[in-house]
Amino acid sequence: MKVCIAEKPSVAREIASVLGANTKREGFYEGNGYAVTYTFGHLCTLKEPNDYKPYWKSWDLNNLPMLPEKFETKVVANSGIQKQFKIVKSLFDKADVVINCGDAGQEGELIQRWVMNEANYKGEVQRLWISSLTTEAIKEGFENLKPATQYDNLYYAGFSRAIGDWLLGMNATRLYTVKHGGYKQVLSVGRVQTPTLAMVVNRFKDIENFKPQPYWELQTLYRDTLFSYEDGRFLKKEDGEALANKVKESDFEIESITKKKGKEYAPKLFDLTGLQVYCNTKFGFSADETLKIVQKLYEQKVVTYPRVDTTFLPNDVYPKVAGILQKLTNYSKLTQPLLAKKIKKSSRVFNDKKVTDHHAIIPTGIQINLQYNQQQVYDIIVKRFIAVFYDDCTVSNTTVLGNAAKVIFKTTGKEIIEKGWRIVFENPNAKEKESGILPTFTKGEKGPHEPSFLEKETKPPKQFTEASLLRAMETAGKQVDDEELRDLMKENGIGRPSTRANIIETLFRRQYIKRNKKQVLPTVTGIQLIDTIQNKLLKSAELTGSWEKQLKDIEKGEFSAAAFIKNMKRMVDALVYEVRSETKRANISQAIVIKNRAKKPATKKQAGITSQICPKCKKGQLVKGKTAYGCSAFKSGCNFVLPFKFANKKVSEKQFIRLLEKGSTVNLKGFKTEAGTVEGLLRFDEGFNLKLEPRSTSAKAKTDELICPKCKKGTVIKGKTAYGCSAYKLGCDFKMTFDAVRAKIKGQTPTKELVHRILKESVP
């Protein structure tokens, strides 16, 4: 009899139906010469400390370090699990061959190997290795079963990981709890969770301790387009002020217009971390929620195996692409243009060297009705898959240089020429945003401009979200935005794609971190723990990433499992000695923090603007008058005034508080000036009077504006029967009738760009 063992009942049922094992028994399926049984995740686990030595049960510094000579497993102490294990063992005892049908990854290999070892099975073992649960994939997998020995290194890596986590987790948790734990407090320390917590704490402290530095920007507005000083920001006010005064005296002249065609590639296919990041950013799903959703999609056969860390496909998937696209009938509008021609094959998608156990997450082609949140995740996986076979997006990048009094300014714009893959992600209901299309500039043109010299401040880094924390774990704490560079850093990431969500959830559960909307912040206990841990190795994402690299090398057969475990034991031994020698005791307790918080009388915070100190004299407090806020020290000569209305617009107290605390209001609409109603923000000038800073209008689409091709000063305007020049009162007689334009179009698709070209070419 052939015995197949899967990781969960639902997977066993799928495999059994393909193999014809249709008789349901207690704990397995039977038929056609097969018995298909299953585990419930981990049936076996590493032994507890007291299973090795009874006195290790006591949490005592004198019992540390706990370093077993040989690590052993046992069946989990749960009646349901023990009952299932007996069924599995009885089947193994009758088996001619066992087929390991566990999840095709490190954890799946470990789960089933431990069961076989605990059941003392010594016979032949074969391995089913599949990337989806479709009938075709299961049949193909059984036609290509591999000897289990091919996956020995995978098992050694999994076992080494489990032992490393046991050594550090068991010893360090007891060590810090006994040495530094307070009332009712277990201080959990782990190989991956502690450096992850350290990243959150360090980011929080960086923000808390951040001191903004002032800098100044010189900009100018010419023809509704914002130009910035080419050499960037000024760190000294006087340097920029001299130039700002200089450029006011001169007209602005366009020096050069450079256009370069460029390509934008489709977003890469998803690995698990990429999918979790996307879903956290777009839908607000936690990493754990996304993992559960995509795991369910896999079990429903609609996507491939999700716990992967590559964004590539192997070359042998290419012949199957057309078949998958044809089956995606719900997306036929997007797939039909691809199926009408030869499907594109790009090395950005297909690369055997970038694929190990599994390829990127892609749809299988099977379509079923899904719950709303499942459909959201499925939809983006499908669209990413379709998009990579579309043409690249072609863009025109424009750089315009201009000068005033020989001071060079620059602006850039981008125009999409051919949408390519962008079509896949277009929302027909959303208004299309024009992305930085510049007006038509002509070299040598001159005109008035509006320079501005603005004081700004450097900003602190942002608090982590789950999305940015996952990326930081993936790159061992290094900030890497470039996709190609991120792929290089993955080798040294901390944790595995399949466990990172669980690590973050564990930190929430242990009350080391908390959520504030999308932000992930450390708790008082989390900060205290990281401050207490002096050992850099425990907190370093980079060093933990190097352990992860060693585990990957064990998987490849390039590093010894015995050497890894020996190094971990040596490190734990040194850590115990180091912490036991510490003279200070931290006495960390979340329970006491909560207790003290409850005891504290609710202090009434003086709310509102009248609790603010006068920004001018720094002595008085603000007081409310009939038409303005003033300073309580007005009798001592402070003349600070903050009018309720500015430029005919009433400003809220909330915005004034923001101005006092952060240096500016947000952008507000409705200020009435000589130039009309404008939008902008309020700041203080040097004398602490209010000043309006009009909103910087970024490069806007001005495709309907064309400089007169004849006088080069006015712009082309549209009359009743012809185009003419806005400078006609100054003597420009440019004119081209609509009939003359139509004659030039000659059956071409009439577009603004075409009309503009005809008008420009009409003047010799």
Side-chain angles (χ1 to χ4, degrees):
M1 178 172 66
K2 293 179 179 178
V3 176
C4 303
I5 181 163
E7 198 165 308
K8 54 177 74 174
S10 59
V11 176
R13 189 171 59 245
E14 296 296 340
I15 291 170
S17 70
V18 172
L19 296 176
N22 298 321
T23 307
K24 177 83 174 82
R25 306 279 187 207
E26 189 174 13
F28 67 101
Y29 298 86
E30 190 177 33
N32 199 24
Y34 288 94
V36 184
T37 187
Y38 45 82
T39 60
F40 309 114
H42 283 274
L43 286 193
C44 300
T45 184
L46 286 173
K47 284 183 174 178
E48 301 289 324
N50 51 288
D51 292 324
Y52 296 103
K53 294 176 184 178
Y55 64 87
W56 277 357
K57 188 169 188 176
S58 169
W59 285 44
D60 187 331
L61 286 180
N62 295 317
N63 291 339
L64 302 178
M66 301 177 293
L67 307 172
E69 280 298 313
K70 186 185 174 191
F71 280 86
E72 296 169 0
T73 58
K74 64 177 183 179
V75 180
V76 174
N78 170 291
S79 57
I81 284 176
Q82 292 191 338
K83 183 182 175 185
Q84 182 63 17
F85 177 76
K86 283 175 187 171
I87 293 167
V88 171
K89 187 176 184 329
S90 69
L91 291 170
F92 282 178
D93 290 343
K94 303 173 206 166
D96 301 316
V97 61
V98 167
I99 302 169
N100 179 354
C101 304
D103 263 9
Q106 200 180 95
E107 192 79 359
E109 190 66 28
L110 185 69
I111 286 169
Q112 308 302 15
R113 292 277 189 125
W114 277 357
V115 172
M116 288 177 220
N117 292 348
E118 202 58 32
N120 205 26
Y121 177 73
K122 303 290 184 190
E124 184 190 353
V125 183
Q126 293 182 315
R127 187 60 161 108
L128 174 73
W129 196 270
I130 53 177
S131 285
S132 79
L133 291 174
T134 61
T135 302
E136 293 82 1
I138 293 169
K139 279 181 180 173
E140 195 178 318
F142 271 92
E143 286 164 12
N144 295 286
L145 292 171
K146 303 281 192 298
T149 49
Q150 279 192 22
Y151 300 91
D152 283 350
N153 287 332
L154 190 67
Y155 166 60
Y156 299 149
F159 206 173
S160 301
R161 180 186 297 279
I163 289 169
D165 289 345
W166 190 103
L167 280 167
L168 197 61
M170 290 288 186
N171 283 286
T173 296
R174 292 187 181 200
L175 180 65
Y176 281 96
T177 300
V178 176
K179 183 77 178 177
H180 296 293
Y183 174 66
K184 286 187 176 179
Q185 184 69 53
V186 173
L187 295 176
S188 174
V189 175
R191 187 178 60 84
V192 179
Q193 75 171 40
T194 303
T196 303
L197 174 60
M199 288 195 293
V200 177
V201 170
N202 292 342
R203 175 66 61 87
F204 180 78
K205 286 185 172 182
D206 286 347
I207 294 166
E208 288 281 289
N209 300 327
F210 182 81
K211 288 179 181 166
Q213 298 298 317
Y215 66 91
W216 290 262
E217 281 188 352
L218 177 59
Q219 298 173 326
T220 193
L221 196 66
Y222 173 68
R223 286 180 56 200
D224 283 338
T225 303
L226 191 70
F227 286 75
S228 297
Y229 177 58
E230 192 183 24
D231 292 342
R233 58 180 63 169
F234 296 93
L235 300 178
K236 290 181 181 175
K237 186 179 181 181
E238 54 272 21
D239 292 349
E241 223 165 17
L243 289 182
N245 294 328
K246 188 178 171 186
V247 298
K248 280 177 188 172
E249 309 304 319
S250 303
D251 272 358
F252 189 81
E253 182 179 358
I254 298 296
E255 273 196 4
S256 67
I257 303 121
T258 311
K259 288 195 177 189
K260 279 186 183 175
K261 266 195 178 184
K263 283 184 178 180
E264 290 183 354
Y265 301 111
K268 291 196 165 193
L269 296 170
F270 283 118
D271 59 6
L272 179 59
T273 303
L275 184 65
Q276 288 169 318
V277 167
Y278 183 91
C279 292
N280 181 251
T281 307
K282 293 289 182 183
F283 312 133
F285 297 162
S286 72
D288 194 50
E289 284 169 338
T290 301
L291 177 56
K292 283 174 181 167
I293 291 167
V294 74
Q295 181 68 27
K296 185 70 178 170
L297 293 175
Y298 168 64
E299 287 166 20
Q300 290 172 307
K301 308 183 194 180
V302 297
V303 302
T304 57
Y305 185 70
R307 296 164 186 259
V308 300
D309 63 353
T310 181
T311 56
F312 290 88
L313 299 175
N315 285 301
D316 60 13
V317 169
Y318 178 72
K320 300 173 185 175
V321 169
I324 296 169
L325 291 171
Q326 277 169 343
K327 289 179 191 171
L328 295 171
T329 52
N330 295 341
Y331 298 85
S332 56
K333 280 187 180 174
L334 299 174
T335 58
Q336 285 311 312
L338 297 176
L339 293 167
K341 57 185 180 181
K342 188 172 187 280
I343 288 167
K344 179 175 120 179
K345 188 177 182 186
S346 161
S347 60
R348 290 179 57 80
V349 179
F350 296 94
N351 188 335
D352 289 338
K353 289 177 184 174
K354 298 285 182 89
V355 179
T356 50
D357 303 337
H358 293 285
H359 55 64
I361 307 167
I362 61 170
T364 60
I366 290 173
Q367 297 183 130
I368 60 170
N369 288 329
L370 298 167
Q371 292 172 5
Y372 181 69
N373 58 355
Q374 293 174 350
Q375 184 63 45
Q376 284 179 295
V377 176
Y378 176 71
D379 186 63
I380 190 59
I381 291 170
V382 172
K383 284 184 173 173
R384 282 273 176 113
F385 178 69
I386 293 170
V388 296
F389 301 109
Y390 267 76
D391 290 335
D392 300 329
C393 170
T394 310
V395 295
S396 172
N397 295 308
T398 306
T399 303
V400 181
L401 295 180
N403 85 78
K406 297 188 178 174
V407 177
I408 306 294
F409 292 84
K410 181 171 98 170
T411 193
T412 57
K414 182 177 79 174
E415 189 177 354
I416 294 170
I417 296 168
E418 288 172 17
K419 289 180 180 177
W421 56 267
R422 284 180 176 273
I423 291 166
V424 177
F425 301 102
E426 278 182 342
N427 181 354
N429 302 319
K431 286 183 181 175
E432 195 173 327
K433 288 181 183 175
E434 306 226 38
S435 59
I437 301 173
L438 298 171
T440 306
F441 291 111
T442 310
K443 185 180 175 180
E445 69 172 83
K446 281 185 181 180
H449 63 116
E450 299 167 36
S452 57
F453 185 59
L454 310 176
E455 181 179 347
K456 296 188 178 181
E457 283 184 339
T458 53
K459 290 181 180 176
K462 289 180 180 176
Q463 299 283 10
F464 277 116
T465 62
E466 278 199 53
S468 59
L469 184 55
L470 282 165
R471 283 295 187 214
M473 291 173 80
E474 186 183 48
T475 56
K478 288 190 168 60
Q479 185 67 39
V480 184
D481 295 321
D482 184 85
E483 279 191 342
E484 304 295 334
L485 289 175
R486 195 155 53 229
D487 279 343
L488 293 175
M489 288 299 301
K490 280 183 185 180
E491 282 279 295
N492 286 40
I494 61 172
R496 286 173 301 137
S498 55
T499 59
R500 286 177 192 139
N502 187 47
I503 293 292
I504 294 171
E505 286 302 316
T506 299
L507 290 170
F508 280 123
R509 201 166 52 249
R510 288 179 177 152
Q511 296 185 307
Y512 289 160
I513 59 176
K514 61 186 178 183
R515 286 187 178 93
N516 175 29
K517 296 180 181 173
K518 277 193 172 185
Q519 291 180 335
V520 175
L521 305 174
T523 61
V524 173
T525 309
I527 294 169
Q528 285 178 325
L529 177 59
I530 294 303
D531 287 348
T532 302
I533 296 172
Q534 299 302 307
N535 186 286
K536 286 185 179 175
L537 194 60
L538 272 185
K539 298 191 286 188
S540 166
E542 217 164 321
L543 289 168
T544 306
S546 69
W547 288 343
E548 208 65 46
K549 173 78 164 62
Q550 286 177 6
L551 287 165
K552 283 187 177 170
D553 288 343
I554 292 170
E555 197 175 309
K556 294 174 192 170
E558 295 170 5
F559 194 74
S560 153
F564 178 82
I565 294 163
K566 189 179 176 183
N567 290 342
M568 287 298 290
K569 283 183 175 179
R570 195 181 295 135
M571 194 214 100
V572 167
D573 196 23
L575 177 69
V576 170
Y577 177 79
E578 180 188 314
V579 176
R580 283 179 66 168
S581 307
E582 288 172 4
T583 52
K584 287 185 181 176
R585 191 173 189 281
N587 202 30
I588 301 167
S589 172
Q590 176 76 4
I592 289 174
V593 170
I594 293 165
K595 211 173 180 182
N596 291 342
R597 207 175 281 155
K599 275 183 188 174
K600 265 186 188 174
T603 52
K604 277 196 176 180
K605 199 178 176 184
Q606 194 180 1
I609 196 165
T610 51
S611 65
Q612 298 282 334
I613 300 293
C614 171
K616 190 169 186 180
C617 71
K618 306 282 192 294
K619 290 173 185 172
Q621 273 194 297
L622 294 192
V623 291
K624 190 173 182 180
K626 287 184 179 178
T627 59
Y629 300 104
C631 176
S632 62
F634 66 94
K635 288 180 181 176
S636 306
C638 181
N639 62 354
F640 176 73
V641 174
L642 201 55
F644 298 160
K645 272 189 175 185
F646 184 80
N648 224 13
K649 175 181 172 59
K650 191 175 179 184
V651 182
S652 71
E653 183 181 336
K654 185 180 171 185
Q655 287 303 324
F656 277 142
I657 291 171
R658 192 185 191 281
L659 167 64
L660 292 160
E661 290 180 349
K662 297 191 176 181
S664 77
T665 64
V666 297
N667 268 310
L668 303 170
K669 291 179 180 176
F671 292 107
K672 291 178 176 64
T673 67
E674 289 176 6
T677 304
V678 297
E679 180 181 344
L681 51 83
L682 294 177
R683 292 187 191 273
F684 289 126
D685 64 14
E686 288 171 353
F688 287 95
N689 299 307
L690 287 179
K691 67 171 182 179
L692 175 64
E693 191 177 290
R695 185 172 185 178
S696 302
T697 50
S698 57
K700 287 181 182 174
K702 291 280 176 182
T703 48
D704 54 344
E705 184 181 336
L706 177 68
I707 295 294
C708 173
K710 191 166 186 180
C711 71
K712 303 283 193 290
K713 289 176 183 172
T715 54
V716 173
I717 54 174
K718 194 175 180 181
K720 288 182 180 178
T721 59
Y723 292 101
C725 176
S726 63
Y728 65 93
K729 288 181 181 177
L730 300 174
C732 181
D733 61 353
F734 171 73
K735 183 179 177 184
M736 188 171 188
T737 64
F738 296 161
D739 288 340
V741 172
R742 283 190 205 104
K744 293 273 186 185
I745 289 173
K746 289 179 188 170
Q748 300 173 71
T749 306
T751 62
K752 283 179 184 173
E753 290 77 12
L754 177 60
V755 171
H756 283 189
R757 197 171 72 239
I758 291 167
L759 292 169
K760 278 195 270 185
E761 290 170 356
S762 67
V763 176

